[in-house]
Amino acid sequence: MNSLTAISRFHDLLSQPRLAGDSWDLLTARMAERNMVFGDRPLCTVLRPLFYSPQEWSYLVDRTELILRLFDRLAHRMLDDAELRKQVHATPDEEYLLHLDHGYRSTIPTARLDSFFARNQDGSRSLGFVEFNGESPASMAYSGVLSELFLEMPVMQAFGRHYAVHAQLSRRPALDEFLRVYYEWRRDRSKLPDIAIVDWHGVPTASEFDLFVEYFAEHGITAVICDPEEMEFTNGQLYAAGAPVDFVYKRVLISELLQRYGLDHPIIDALKARAICVVNPFSCKLLHKKASLAVASDERNAHLLTADEQQAVKAHIPWTRTVEERSTLDPAGNPIDLLPWASANREGLVLKPNDEYGGKGVIIGWETKQAEWDTALAAATSEPTVVQERVQIAYEEFPAVTANGDVSIDLRLVDSDPFLFRGERVHGCLCRLSSQTLLNVTAGGGSIVPVFVIEERDA
C-alpha cells in the first residue's frame, strides 16, 4: 500500500464543504475540554495525523527494536565498566546514583528514540536516530488522547470509509511496565502502587500529568502530582504532598534534581531505604546523555557490537563524537583530527550539549556562520558536548485551517519518535511537526499529531 496516495486522498477530502471547518472546530473544542495544551499552546495545530502503511510501521519498529536492544546492552555494560562509562561524562553525583539498588533490572523501563524517518518519492527510506530520551519521556498520554480526538473528526470518519485506521497507543504499555517493575521491586502482588508523579510546578507538560492521573484512576490506582519540594521521607515512609506513596513516576530530570538538592532529597533517601520504586531508575542517565550515541558509533567501541549491530548503527545512528582533541575516523572511515575536521565540515554537523533538553544549546552548523561555529566548537571542549553528523530530515505536507477559515497545506519537518518499553519493545510513537529545523515543542515551534497505521479497504 502507498501511504503517499492515502495522504493525497485525505487532503482531497478537505475540499468538501464544511468538512475541514467542522473537523477543526471539533478538534479544538475537544482539546480545550481535555486541557490538551503544552504550556499555553494547543498541542495540535493541523488537521491530519501521521500515516504509515503496515510495511513502513513494521520497518520502523523492527529497526528501532534492534537499536534499542543494543543500547540496553550497552547500558548494562557501562554499569560494569568504569572506563567505558567515562565516555558519557557522568558527574560525581550521577556516578553515586547510578549504583543505587532500584530493585529491578531494567535501566530503561520507558524511553523514546527520536528519529527522522524519511519516505522518499522513489520508494527509498532513510531512518536516523538523533537522540535517546532515556529518562521518563513526555507525550505517551498526549498521543493516546489525541488519537481518540482525531478519530471523532468528520474528516477522519470519511477517510475511514476507504482505509482501516489503527491507532498506535502507549498509555496501556506504560502502565503495564510500571506494574511489572513495581512487582519486581515489591516481590509480591498484594497491592496496587500508590503513585507520585513528580516534576516542578508550572512545567509545560503539567497537563499530561492530569491525563495520567485520570488513566491510573480508571485502573484503580491512586496518583498524586507534586513538586519535588513537596516531598518528605519520615519513619520509613515517603510522602508526596502529604499522601503516602511507594512508587515515584519521576518526570523531573535527574540533572535538575541534583542541581537543586545535590544528593539530599527525600526521593534519594527513600530509594536508599528501599521504601519506593522509582521509574525511570537513576541509571537511565547513562543512555539519556547525548554521548550515548557516541559510545554506540565510535570505532573504539566496535568490538562490543555484533556484526548485525555494527551494520544497524552505520545505517541508523549518525556519526557522533564527544568534542575533544583526539584522532578518530570520519563518517567515511578516514583518519582525522577531530577539531580541525569539525571546523572544516560545519555544514554537515550539529553541536549538542551532552545533558540538555528542549533544544537548548543546540547549534546547527549549516545555519551558523563559520566564526560563530568555531567559537562554539572551542567552548565545547570545556563542557561535555557532542558533534553529530547531519541526517536526512523528513518532510511532509500537512493541512491547517487559517484564520480566515481556508485550508492551507504546507511543508513541515516531521520526526518519528517511537516509545520504548523494557529495553526491548516499541509501543506507540510521538510525532512532532515544525516549520523550523530545530524540531522541539519545548523550544516553542511545533505541533504534535497522532500516528496511525492504515490499510486500504477492499472496494
Side-chain angles (χ1 to χ4, degrees):
M1 194 204 80
N2 190 326
S3 57
L4 298 179
T5 301
I7 290 169
S8 178
R9 195 165 192 172
F10 186 95
H11 291 171
D12 288 344
L13 287 171
L14 295 173
S15 62
Q16 295 182 14
R18 291 301 309 161
L19 198 57
D22 290 348
S23 296
W24 182 240
D25 289 346
L26 185 146
L27 180 61
T28 53
R30 297 287 282 123
M31 283 196 295
E33 290 170 11
R34 298 299 300 274
N35 196 29
M36 295 287 286
V37 295
F38 187 88
D40 59 357
R41 307 193 309 274
L43 273 175
C44 183
T45 60
V46 299
L47 277 170
R48 180 172 70 77
L50 180 65
F51 291 139
Y52 285 129
S53 70
Q55 296 78 16
E56 290 166 340
W57 178 248
S58 178
Y59 176 83
L60 178 61
V61 169
D62 288 348
R63 305 312 292 175
T64 302
E65 289 181 349
L66 175 58
I67 293 295
L68 170 59
R69 290 190 291 272
L70 165 62
F71 272 110
D72 184 53
R73 190 164 57 77
L74 284 177
H76 288 285
R77 184 78 180 241
M78 283 189 280
L79 281 172
D80 295 334
D81 186 337
E83 286 303 310
L84 181 64
R85 194 166 63 248
K86 285 180 181 178
Q87 294 183 30
V88 297
H89 299 274
T91 68
D93 282 352
E94 289 168 346
E95 279 283 334
Y96 174 82
L97 294 177
L98 288 175
H99 294 93
L100 289 181
D101 181 11
H102 294 91
Y104 57 87
R105 179 186 179 278
S106 179
T107 59
I108 41 171
T110 64
R112 201 181 71 213
L113 265 167
D114 294 354
S115 78
F116 290 106
F117 183 21
R119 301 170 290 174
N120 303 313
Q121 292 285 349
D122 63 2
S124 63
R125 303 168 179 160
S126 170
L127 175 61
F129 297 107
V130 294
E131 290 187 11
F132 195 111
N133 189 323
E135 295 211 34
S136 298
S139 289
M140 288 185 292
Y142 281 150
S143 297
V145 174
L146 266 182
S147 295
E148 296 170 3
L149 302 189
F150 264 73
L151 289 172
E152 296 178 17
M153 292 164 52
V155 66
M156 282 295 295
Q157 293 174 4
F159 182 76
R161 290 192 282 271
H162 304 284
Y163 291 88
V165 177
H166 309 284
Q168 303 305 307
L169 305 177
S170 306
R171 279 179 299 176
R172 182 71 228 193
L175 177 55
D176 289 344
E177 183 63 6
F178 293 167
L179 292 175
R180 186 191 70 80
V181 298
Y182 177 73
Y183 291 126
E184 184 181 341
W185 166 81
R186 184 177 169 81
R187 294 187 171 86
D188 72 69
R189 304 177 72 89
S190 60
K191 71 178 286 291
L192 291 169
D194 297 304
I195 298 178
I197 303 173
V198 183
D199 208 343
W200 311 111
H201 283 317
V203 294
T205 50
S207 58
E208 185 176 39
F209 306 159
D210 295 323
L211 297 176
F212 268 115
V213 170
E214 292 175 12
Y215 189 72
F216 293 153
E218 292 172 7
H219 294 83
I221 297 171
T222 301
V224 61
I225 302 167
C226 78
D227 187 283
E229 195 66 28
E230 299 175 309
M231 308 190 80
E232 180 183 9
F233 182 61
T234 182
N235 297 324
Q237 176 66 61
L238 183 66
Y239 294 88
V245 298
D246 61 358
F247 186 102
V248 171
Y249 179 22
K250 181 179 57 56
R251 292 291 293 263
V252 62
L253 292 175
I254 295 168
S255 58
E256 294 183 349
L257 195 69
L258 290 174
Q259 287 168 8
R260 180 77 63 90
Y261 302 103
L263 296 172
D264 184 18
H265 189 269
I267 290 177
I268 298 172
D269 296 337
L271 182 64
K272 289 190 293 185
R274 211 178 179 283
I276 55 169
C277 179
V278 178
V279 170
N280 273 354
F282 288 112
S283 54
C284 73
K285 201 65 178 175
L286 290 169
L287 297 179
H288 188 75
K289 300 271 192 181
K290 304 293 190 297
S292 67
L293 276 78
V295 173
S297 66
D298 197 322
E299 72 275 356
R300 61 186 168 183
N301 302 322
H303 66 284
L304 303 176
L305 281 60
T306 67
D308 285 346
E309 288 170 342
Q310 290 182 37
Q311 185 178 25
V313 166
K314 185 174 182 179
H316 302 303
I317 295 182
W319 178 95
T320 308
R321 297 291 186 273
T322 299
V323 178
E324 56 189 338
E325 292 188 4
R326 61 167 288 200
S327 298
T328 185
L329 301 180
D330 70 9
N334 303 308
I336 57 167
D337 289 328
L338 179 58
L339 293 181
W341 182 90
S343 173
N345 289 272
R346 166 182 58 84
E347 293 196 355
L349 299 171
V350 177
L351 283 173
K352 298 180 178 180
N354 190 32
D355 201 11
E356 286 289 357
Y357 68 100
K360 184 178 179 182
V362 174
I363 299 175
I364 299 167
W366 58 96
E367 295 182 357
T368 305
K369 294 180 180 179
Q370 187 67 47
E372 296 170 357
W373 176 259
D374 288 339
T375 298
L377 198 59
T381 60
S382 59
E383 187 69 28
T385 304
V386 300
V387 59
Q388 188 175 82
E389 181 185 14
R390 182 179 187 173
V391 300
Q392 181 182 352
I393 296 175
Y395 294 90
E396 283 189 25
E397 290 183 330
F398 280 82
V401 175
T402 66
N404 63 8
D406 295 331
V407 175
S408 175
I409 299 178
D410 300 302
L411 206 61
R412 309 285 183 107
L413 281 75
V414 183
D415 73 351
S416 301
D417 308 333
F419 290 112
L420 320 172
F421 299 93
R422 203 176 180 176
E424 59 185 28
R425 290 288 179 264
V426 169
H427 293 286
C429 186
L430 167 65
C431 174
R432 295 174 293 192
L433 312 177
S434 179
S435 55
Q436 306 170 23
T437 305
L438 186 58
L439 208 163
N440 194 292
V441 177
T442 303
S447 172
I448 292 175
V449 296
V451 175
F452 292 102
V453 175
I454 57 172
E455 298 178 88
E456 192 165 10
R457 297 188 187 278
D458 293 334

